[in-house]
Amino acid sequence: MRTPMATDYSFPDNAARAAAAADEFQPEKMSLSMGPSHPSTHGVLRLQMELDGETVTKADPVVGYLHRGDEKIAENMTYNQFVPYTDRLDYLAPLANNMAYAIAVERLAGLEVPPRCQAIRVITAEMARISSHLMGLGAFGLDVGAWTVLLYTLEEREKLYKLFEELTGARFTTSYTRIGGVTRDVPEGWLGRVNAFCDQFLPILEEILRLLTRNKIFMDRTVDVGVISKTDALAYGLTGPNLRGSGVALDLRKDKPYSGYEQYEFDVPVGTTGDCYDRYLVRGEEMRQSVRILRQAIAKFPEGPWYATDARRIFAPPKDKVMTSMEELIQNFMLVTEGPQMPPGEVYFEAENPKGILGFYVVSKGGGVPYRLKIRSPSFCNLSILPKACVGILISDVVAILGSLDFVMGECDR
Amino acid sequence: MVTANTELGYNTKVEGGVVVSRADAVINWIRTNSMWPMPMGLACCAIELMAVGGARFDISRFGAEVMRFSPRQSDCMIVAGTVTYKMAPQVRRIYDQMAAPKWVIAMGACASSGGMYRSYATLQGVDRIVPVDVYVSGCPPRPEALLDALVKLQEKVKREPAARRLLSA
Amino acid sequence: MSAEFVTAFKSRFPMAVDRASADHPAFNLPYDEVVPALRFLRDQWGFELLMDLTAIDGGPGTEPRFTVVYHLLAPNRGATYVRIAAPCAGPEDEPAAPSVVGLWPGANWHERECWDMFGIRFDGHPDLRRILMWDGYPYHPLRKEFPLAGVETDLPVADIQEETGTRVVAAPMAGGPFVASTGEVNLTEAEPRALDQSWSDRRVQPGQTPLRQVKE
């Protein structure tokens, strides 16, 4: 075990900083605002930087350009109504968000979904991980000058989208889970098609990674650039591939398994130096591991119900029953109008999402509406290291760091 | 691309392959087929916007694949995603920096009307900030819908009195 | 580990009161004990990751009105969590909490978010500015008395507001959002009805105090 971290951090207060800034005033420094509309800020991040020549001396990220008020909205609607909003948090991996939210609320209700539902959720979440990492790699390549990768990864994502569409009806705003289950069972033959996707995907993945892994330009741009030490990564609350790239083997799928992840064999890739290149390698390997999980999940896909059959006031009854039976009709009506009934209490659940650990803190006072719902978004925490990571480096390296952190502003700003 | 609207005429009496047409038709023909978008990718719709640029949907068939993040080089702003009040001034500023002629496509429910984000932070429709030419429904719209919007915009541009505007400007 | 940990923590911090929780060990702590307790947890029990820092608004008139909630994760001890909650000190208008930026620099943005959304002042925070809303936004949106639709204010940039004639206005709710009541279910009362948001367009709801703007 590592020695516990025993550093305390000191920060100057506002007045001291103003005084220091006045002392250090150097007229040749230039201030540069990068974003909120900039190709390498992946959305609407803005970096307010101070430059000395081409070296960054200070970086102040400005977030919030996509703050849409998700948490306030959540306080004003029933639990199932909020599912579509979780799609739009990390819009590169909506199915994983759906699952994290559903499990959080199910923990609140003390509900356990049947194995088949868990397997469906694992399959969709791992597919979401592949699709998110593909976009992450493609955009990273694009940022450091390798345009081809994005075209390859977009093509693979289209194949995934086709599968998502068949399963959920939408390309990526899926809204697939419900509290206590999923919207519908997997279509016939769908698992076979997922398997076929895995078979053809692995060679293409190798091809994609070959475009970057030993690429001279890519290595020059990323090796030993943006090194984040283990201590820093923990202190700033980095999670996901960014934390594992820094050498901390924290993967909640392994360490605190949920939704039946303990049944599957997979490895957790860990970086050694914590530079941009390591984070890239970790993402590449995670996709291979996701394929491994997908194959196992499909091989032992359980029979049985795909929603919690005993959750009468939480999961909607089958549609044919609603149309024919009075009791189910009433039940459906109550569920739609009042929402799934939850006991008072509070839960905090975290899931290992592609971008990092996504947490939902649900405070309930009973009834069908959360009293408070806090979304712990991985991108928000991952970005908070920027003021530290972006100092003393070249401005072109800032682009590489942003690409390697692989953030999504929809989730960061909520 | 020769359409009924292009009004090409070929006079056999003039030698040297001269084609006679209206100035409007020629200018609009050029504009419609090289409409460089300014991808104002704000949220989820930006992912579909990238998909449109990918191989399967291939927006370059319509002459609009050159995504330019520099507003000076672009003709058509595609507002893809939720415009928040914090972002709205920046959207307007980029629109102001685009050189005329310029057009705006509001892609998706959020950009068109605020969509599902009825909240304190969200601008309820980008048309409160910039004039919009084409609205695309969907959350997010399918790539085909964006292509359709582009074709609709091209049809609209073809009807514009381009020459008169150029002379009076 | 859990029982051992709970006894060790409670013997070290006798002021800690068990907090009702459906999942992880949870404690309520007074203002002064928060920083020592979190340092103890970080250094002695391996809770190295501050996963989340947020606040809960109990609603106008409740005592204490704001509670700051910390979630810590111990990555090496089987990924266990602990939840620490601390009611804010100070009057209802100006709640205050101790800053933990000295323990985890990552708390910086979380505390800025809490200030932005709830107006909780974090004593000792190096740079308490708004983070999600723009500088100069006059309200704290996640407070319970703030309407979801928003309140009419100025746009962040004055010249754009002048040019476009657009202001921040209350979002049209069209009779919605339709909300079931929170709390224990009483079927008659729980029937969802449109929240009365008519007061968001410049009228004050009967029996409610008008929104206070942030003092600068």
Side-chain angles (χ1 to χ4, degrees):
Chain A
M1 202 188 109
R2 287 195 318 279
T3 50
M5 174 173 67
T7 345
D8 277 14
Y9 299 82
S10 68
F11 289 88
D13 63 358
N14 275 330
R17 259 181 331 158
D23 281 347
E24 280 177 14
F25 179 67
Q26 287 169 312
E28 65 268 24
K29 284 213 177 136
M30 179 181 139
S31 133
L32 176 77
S33 174
M34 189 167 147
S37 172
H38 186 280
S40 77
T41 56
H42 297 211
V44 286
L45 173 69
R46 175 173 158 214
L47 275 176
Q48 184 67 47
M49 291 187 289
E50 194 185 76
L51 305 178
D52 183 5
E54 229 183 311
T55 313
V56 181
T57 52
K58 198 180 132 199
D60 180 22
V62 183
V63 299
Y65 286 102
L66 195 51
H67 174 64
R68 311 186 263 203
D70 276 332
E71 290 174 9
K72 188 88 181 173
I73 289 173
E75 290 171 12
N76 285 278
M77 50 180 53
T78 61
Y79 289 97
N80 274 329
Q81 281 176 323
F82 190 67
V83 172
Y85 291 87
T86 61
D87 289 343
R88 288 149 181 86
L89 292 173
D90 174 0
Y91 37 77
L92 293 171
L95 287 159
N97 303 343
N98 291 167
M99 174 170 101
Y101 173 69
I103 297 180
V105 183
E106 283 157 13
R107 291 264 161 102
L108 178 67
L111 190 67
E112 187 77 20
V113 293
R116 188 183 175 92
C117 176
Q118 291 188 342
I120 296 177
R121 286 179 178 179
V122 166
I123 290 171
T124 53
E126 292 308 312
M127 287 168 75
R129 189 179 315 275
I130 293 175
S131 101
S132 166
H133 281 351
L134 280 173
M135 182 53 103
L137 285 197
F140 188 20
L142 188 62
D143 286 347
V144 294
W147 163 247
T148 324
V149 186
L150 181 71
L151 294 174
Y152 272 76
T153 57
L154 279 182
E155 187 53 35
E156 291 310 298
R157 278 172 61 83
E158 285 298 334
K159 292 173 189 162
L160 280 170
Y161 277 168
K162 210 175 152 203
L163 292 168
F164 289 161
E165 200 171 1
E166 194 182 341
L167 178 69
T168 71
R171 281 162 59 86
F172 68 87
T173 45
T174 50
S175 308
Y176 183 52
T177 58
R178 294 291 179 271
I179 314 303
V182 289
T183 330
R184 57 182 81 86
D185 199 6
V186 289
E188 210 180 317
W190 186 78
L191 291 172
R193 286 189 280 283
V194 175
N195 229 344
F197 167 80
C198 293
D199 291 341
Q200 63 87 43
F201 173 67
L202 276 183
I204 295 179
L205 176 65
E206 297 311 320
E207 202 175 335
I208 292 171
L209 296 180
R210 255 208 312 278
L211 283 171
L212 292 174
T213 307
R214 307 311 294 173
N215 181 331
K216 178 88 173 72
I217 302 173
F218 182 73
M219 290 184 74
D220 281 351
R221 292 289 305 269
T222 55
V223 174
D224 289 333
V225 170
V227 178
I228 298 174
S229 71
K230 227 182 227 186
T231 335
D232 277 351
L234 287 169
Y236 279 88
L238 260 61
T239 44
N242 300 325
L243 180 66
R244 292 191 283 274
S246 293
V248 183
L250 174 69
D251 188 328
L252 289 184
R253 292 177 294 168
K254 238 347 172 220
D255 295 330
K256 206 171 176 59
Y258 52 91
S259 196
Y261 265 113
E262 65 277 0
Q263 311 161 35
Y264 309 114
E265 262 179 47
F266 62 99
D267 299 325
V268 178
V270 175
T272 47
T273 51
D275 56 2
C276 296
Y277 189 64
D278 271 2
R279 291 192 277 278
Y280 152 75
L281 289 178
V282 166
R283 286 206 178 82
E285 184 57 36
E286 274 187 13
M287 282 194 271
R288 293 195 192 105
Q289 299 300 330
S290 290
V291 171
R292 245 176 105 187
I293 299 176
L294 277 178
R295 286 196 166 139
Q296 294 171 50
I298 294 171
K300 49 180 165 186
F301 192 67
E303 289 296 320
W306 43 272
Y307 57 89
T309 41
D310 52 343
R312 282 195 62 247
R313 301 192 69 184
I314 291 176
F315 194 83
K319 209 66 184 174
D320 53 332
K321 291 260 178 60
V322 174
M323 296 304 182
T324 51
S325 151
M326 194 62 198
E327 194 183 337
E328 265 87 359
L329 176 66
I330 293 171
Q331 190 190 336
N332 193 58
F333 177 79
M334 301 296 277
L335 190 69
V336 171
T337 52
E338 285 173 6
Q341 295 304 314
M342 293 293 151
E346 49 187 44
V347 289
Y348 182 65
F349 173 73
E350 290 188 330
E352 188 70 39
N353 256 32
K355 300 276 182 296
I357 291 176
L358 174 72
F360 285 96
Y361 176 44
V362 190
V363 180
S364 161
K365 293 203 168 178
V369 181
Y371 183 74
R372 165 104 174 93
L373 187 122
K374 157 83 189 190
I375 303 158
R376 186 261 182 216
S377 62
S379 299
F380 185 76
C381 302
N382 290 349
L383 281 179
S384 68
I385 202 168
L386 281 181
K388 186 174 170 71
C390 288
V391 169
I393 56 172
L394 294 181
I395 193 166
S396 57
D397 293 343
V398 172
V399 175
I401 291 178
L402 288 180
S404 75
L405 284 180
D406 188 22
F407 54 91
V408 165
M409 290 316 282
E411 176 182 67
C412 173
D413 295 345
R414 286 152 285 154
Chain B
M1 190 168 65
V2 179
T3 63
N5 225 1
T6 349
E7 295 183 27
L8 283 175
Y10 181 60
N11 190 339
T12 47
K13 296 204 174 111
V14 184
E15 286 186 12
V18 175
V19 177
V20 182
S21 176
R22 287 191 305 136
D24 273 357
V26 174
I27 294 169
N28 288 340
W29 178 64
I30 295 168
R31 282 182 180 168
T32 49
N33 292 306
S34 65
M35 195 168 275
W36 289 9
M38 158 83 219
M40 198 73 222
L42 304 171
C44 333
C45 286
I47 306 301
E48 286 298 57
L49 185 57
M50 289 170 87
V52 175
R56 179 158 300 183
F57 298 98
D58 199 8
I59 200 172
S60 65
R61 293 176 292 162
F62 304 90
E65 81 279 20
V66 199
M67 304 273 178
R68 280 287 170 258
F69 276 88
S70 161
R72 309 276 185 213
Q73 298 171 343
S74 40
D75 308 305
C76 163
M77 181 154 89
I78 302 179
V79 184
T82 318
V83 189
T84 61
Y85 284 117
K86 191 170 178 179
M87 190 63 197
Q90 273 77 356
V91 175
R92 174 69 196 196
R93 192 143 281 160
I94 287 168
Y95 176 78
D96 285 344
Q97 286 168 352
M98 284 165 65
K102 52 192 172 184
W103 299 277
V104 176
I105 296 177
M107 179 182 180
C110 291
S112 303
S113 70
M116 58 197 271
Y117 289 98
R118 291 256 183 273
S119 75
Y120 57 91
T122 312
L123 181 73
Q124 303 295 313
V126 72
D127 48 7
R128 298 194 183 189
I129 289 287
V130 294
V132 177
D133 294 282
V134 182
Y135 299 87
V136 192
S137 64
C139 187
R142 290 187 59 92
E144 295 94 328
L146 182 63
L147 292 179
D148 183 44
L150 185 69
V151 172
K152 289 230 161 55
L153 180 62
Q154 289 176 341
E155 277 162 15
K156 180 182 177 183
V157 170
K158 274 181 200 152
R159 294 194 300 267
E160 284 184 353
R164 201 170 67 222
R165 278 190 197 160
L166 276 177
L167 290 175
S168 66
Chain C
M1 158 200 170
S2 188
E4 183 199 346
F5 158 70
V6 170
T7 29
F9 184 78
K10 289 184 96 170
S11 65
R12 174 78 175 71
F13 294 97
M15 294 287 281
V17 181
D18 280 336
R19 181 182 171 83
S21 160
D23 44 6
H24 313 299
F27 304 101
N28 280 324
L29 279 175
Y31 177 100
D32 303 327
E33 302 248 315
V34 170
V35 174
L38 293 185
R39 181 179 285 116
F40 172 76
L41 289 172
R42 186 191 72 171
D43 295 342
Q44 307 297 319
W45 283 89
F47 287 96
E48 292 180 51
L49 271 163
L50 173 72
M51 295 311 291
D52 190 30
L53 190 167
T54 187
I56 302 173
D57 178 6
T62 49
E63 185 60 44
R65 180 160 172 195
F66 294 95
T67 313
V68 178
V69 184
Y70 305 85
H71 284 99
L72 311 185
L73 171 65
N76 291 321
R77 293 176 181 253
T80 45
Y81 290 89
V82 64
R83 174 183 305 132
I84 302 291
C88 288
E92 188 182 318
D93 289 352
E94 289 168 10
S99 172
V100 295
V101 178
L103 298 175
W104 289 279
N108 187 329
W109 280 25
H110 289 298
E111 289 178 358
R112 278 175 66 187
E113 188 190 330
C114 275
W115 158 245
D116 190 356
M117 292 289 131
F118 293 96
I120 298 171
R121 248 174 232 291
F122 285 86
D123 299 331
H125 190 283
D127 186 20
L128 203 60
R129 287 178 288 145
R130 282 187 180 269
I131 185 163
L132 294 179
M133 304 304 283
W134 57 93
D135 286 331
Y137 186 71
Y139 305 103
H140 297 295
L142 272 183
R143 288 191 172 189
K144 286 286 178 192
E145 77 269 22
F146 187 83
L148 170 64
V151 179
E152 187 166 342
T153 39
D154 287 334
L155 272 191
V157 179
D159 63 314
I160 298 286
Q161 172 162 332
E162 206 173 302
E163 191 180 345
T164 59
T166 302
R167 303 189 74 214
V168 178
V169 292
M173 285 296 173
F178 288 89
V179 174
S181 53
T182 54
E184 285 300 334
V185 190
N186 171 335
L187 291 187
T188 326
E189 287 167 12
E191 186 181 328
R193 39 180 63 89
L195 281 185
D196 182 14
Q197 300 252 354
S198 58
W199 50 292
S200 58
D201 38 9
R202 280 181 256 180
R203 283 204 304 276
V204 176
Q205 192 184 27
Q208 194 148 35
T209 46
L211 281 176
R212 253 186 72 261
Q213 292 215 343
V214 176
K215 273 184 274 181
E216 287 300 333

